[in-house]
Amino acid sequence: MPASALGLALAAAVLHALWNVLLARERDTEATTAVSLLVFVLALAPLALATWRVEGAAVPYILGSGVLELVYAVLLAAAYRRYELSLVYPLARGLAPVLALAIVVVAVGARPSMGEIGGVLTVAAGILLVRGVRRSVRGSPLAIAIAAAIAGYTVVDRYGIRHAGVAPYLLLVMLGPALAYPLTVGRARLVAAARPTAAAIGVASAGTYLLVLLALRLASAPAVSAVRETSVVIAVGVARLVLGEQVGVRRLAGASLVVAGVALLALA
């Protein structure tokens, strides 16, 4: 994995962890998500228009990724309304690179290197150790569904981004979810959620996706997905420093495994 792609994916991990923490702390996660999607599109529009390049071949990927992004947004908001971030986030993000690798191998017929396979599996094992394998399965079905959506759009975007500029591609992918999801929330809730926190989530989310798409132009989908999931370790740190959660030997060991997995990917 090139150092440039590694840096982009790690930066995306930091932003992703931060905006997820902000979203999980909101009372109305659905309305906040809807507002943040609108902000996402508005923030991205100037850059997309200034760098417009979209080939006809990108359209199927844009449509497919847009559907998966909408599913992801709906499931994530629902999960954070019902369960704690520490229950949903690690499982969803930890399974995503493993599922992405499976999709690439089964559906696309690609042959990942041994380094990529080892890196993905090591990162996934570390994240699951941070999460805790024996913890309650409460919320697990939602988390697994979120992981599947993440893996799906990661693989689709890996091929779709070849036919368009990064910003225009992302704008078109997110336009559908940004228009469709608010319709399910209602005007009153949207107005109530239109606060600086929702705007910050939207801007940070746009930045995250831009960084990921740039990384996908330089490295494979399983590799980018795995490095991006180091956001779980960042979230553990935030939980320790900000929320006062206990971080014991098991979680520290899991974080070390994640770092080892990133090193394997960087050398692959």
Side-chain angles (χ1 to χ4, degrees), residues 58-79:
V59 173
Y61 298 100
I62 289 170
L63 294 175
S65 183
V67 171
L68 290 167
E69 290 283 3
L70 178 58
V71 171
Y72 167 72
V74 171
L75 293 175
L76 189 68

Side-chain angles (χ1 to χ4, degrees), residues 91-118:
L91 181 56
R93 305 310 304 189
L95 286 176
V98 178
L99 295 177
L101 179 62
I103 291 172
V104 168
V105 171
V106 175
V108 183
R111 293 179 178 272
S113 68
M114 292 304 296
E116 286 179 331
I117 294 173

